[in-house]
Amino acid sequence: MRKHSSGFYIGIVVTLILGFGLVTLLALLFRTDVGEGASGVVKATITGPNTATLNLATYPDSQVCHADAGAQEVAWVTYCAGDNSAFEQIQLPPNSLITVNIKQYDSGTTLVNDYFAQVRGTTATLDGKPFSNISDVASISKNTPGHTFSADPGHTFTIQSAPNSTYPIFVSVPLIGVDSNAPANVNINGNMYPTPNIISFQFRTGPAGTVYLWHCYDPCGDTQYARNPPFGFSGPMWTLGYMAGTIAVTNY
Ligand SMILES: [Cu+2]
């Protein structure tokens, strides 16, 4: 058997060390994108085979999950994750029934387009009572002693496909606003808000690798940024992590 030089063996050792180093470096780089609780990501909690629950909240300002933003942004309406962290991307397991629960702390804002008054692509409940259109809310209010609701949504949670997607989806739920006279009786991290309306609905995800968009279609910022031309859908409405973002269907 031919004898190898010591340089040959040193070469093997160096290659192994560099190889493991490279693998470790790549693992660390990718961990920040897919890890539990990674910044800017909220994951649905897996509750069983092909089922998961996603908890979110909407607030009339950004004190809860964007408190470090600039003075203008802190006054903006925003979505937060259910644990009140900020998020830009939602991650969901593939081929699963997702139950979404949203705590809606904001009051109502008249819709610009009545298309979004209708629950679309799913069925929804308001504090456990089924509704299919914002016009159902008056009777729910009447039959819910001690709790009235706004006649308008505060926001919509609308899920749509990216253009040319192989797995199209469209789900839209108007998030009924809290009564504008409701007392601010809930303390969230030192900020007072009214008791939230809880809106729930379900939908099914496609295979891993599918990306959807989530968006609000009730121009819900203040009069300077959301309602007045040319700001119809600017300000919080188009800012990633406030009223818009992405949904990645992924294995985790
Ligand atoms: Cu909104």
Side-chain angles (χ1 to χ4, degrees):
M1 198 175 93
R2 196 172 77 86
K3 251 188 134 196
H4 291 295
S5 72
S6 59
F8 176 83
Y9 293 108
I10 290 168
I12 288 177
V13 170
V14 168
T15 303
L16 283 173
I17 290 170
L18 286 178
F20 278 117
L22 187 64
V23 168
T24 307
L25 182 68
L26 286 173
L28 283 172
L29 284 174
F30 281 100
R31 198 179 63 170
T32 55
D33 286 329
V34 297
E36 227 19 84
S39 166
V41 172
V42 57
K43 291 182 175 190
T45 303
I46 292 173
T47 52
N50 301 102
T51 60
T53 298
L54 175 69
N55 295 320
L56 303 175
T58 52
Y59 289 100
D61 59 51
S62 288
Q63 296 288 354
V64 170
C65 66
H66 300 283
D68 296 339
Q72 174 183 278
E73 287 82 1
V74 160
W76 283 358
V77 290
T78 192
Y79 273 88
C80 300
D83 65 358
N84 289 321
S85 60
F87 72 96
E88 297 171 356
Q89 184 177 82
I90 295 167
Q91 289 186 3
L92 302 175
N95 306 312
S96 297
L97 181 66
I98 311 296
T99 300
V100 184
N101 302 307
I102 302 179
K103 285 185 177 175
Q104 216 294 86
Y105 291 90
D106 202 0
S107 55
T109 302
T110 313
L111 284 165
V112 171
N113 184 337
D114 271 350
Y115 181 87
F116 293 99
Q118 183 76 27
V119 175
R120 297 193 182 270
T122 185
T123 56
T125 60
L126 168 62
D127 288 1
K129 299 179 176 70
F131 76 105
S132 57
N133 189 288
I134 62 171
S135 60
D136 298 339
V137 171
S139 62
I140 295 177
S141 276
K142 224 183 313 178
N143 298 320
T144 311
H147 197 174
T148 56
F149 308 96
S150 169
D152 295 309
H155 308 279
T156 74
F157 190 73
T158 304
I159 305 163
Q160 61 196 98
S161 320
N164 279 358
S165 171
T166 314
Y167 300 97
I169 193 171
F170 187 83
V171 170
S172 186
V173 177
L175 307 182
I176 307 301
V178 297
D179 192 314
S180 53
N181 296 316
N185 55 3
V186 180
N187 185 325
I188 310 283
N189 302 342
N191 307 285
M192 298 305 293
Y193 300 103
T195 301
N197 300 340
I198 299 182
I199 291 101
S200 300
F201 55 94
Q202 296 182 312
F203 68 98
R204 287 185 187 278
T205 54
T210 310
V211 176
Y212 308 128
L213 308 176
W214 66 270
H215 211 295
C216 167
Y217 282 102
D218 185 7
C220 53
D222 65 21
T223 50
Q224 182 183 359
Y225 294 104
R227 290 288 184 181
N228 287 354
F231 297 112
F233 263 79
S234 63
M237 289 299 282
W238 68 269
T239 302
L240 192 60
Y242 287 76
M243 284 288 141
T246 55
I247 299 176
V249 181
T250 182
N251 284 301
Y252 60 88

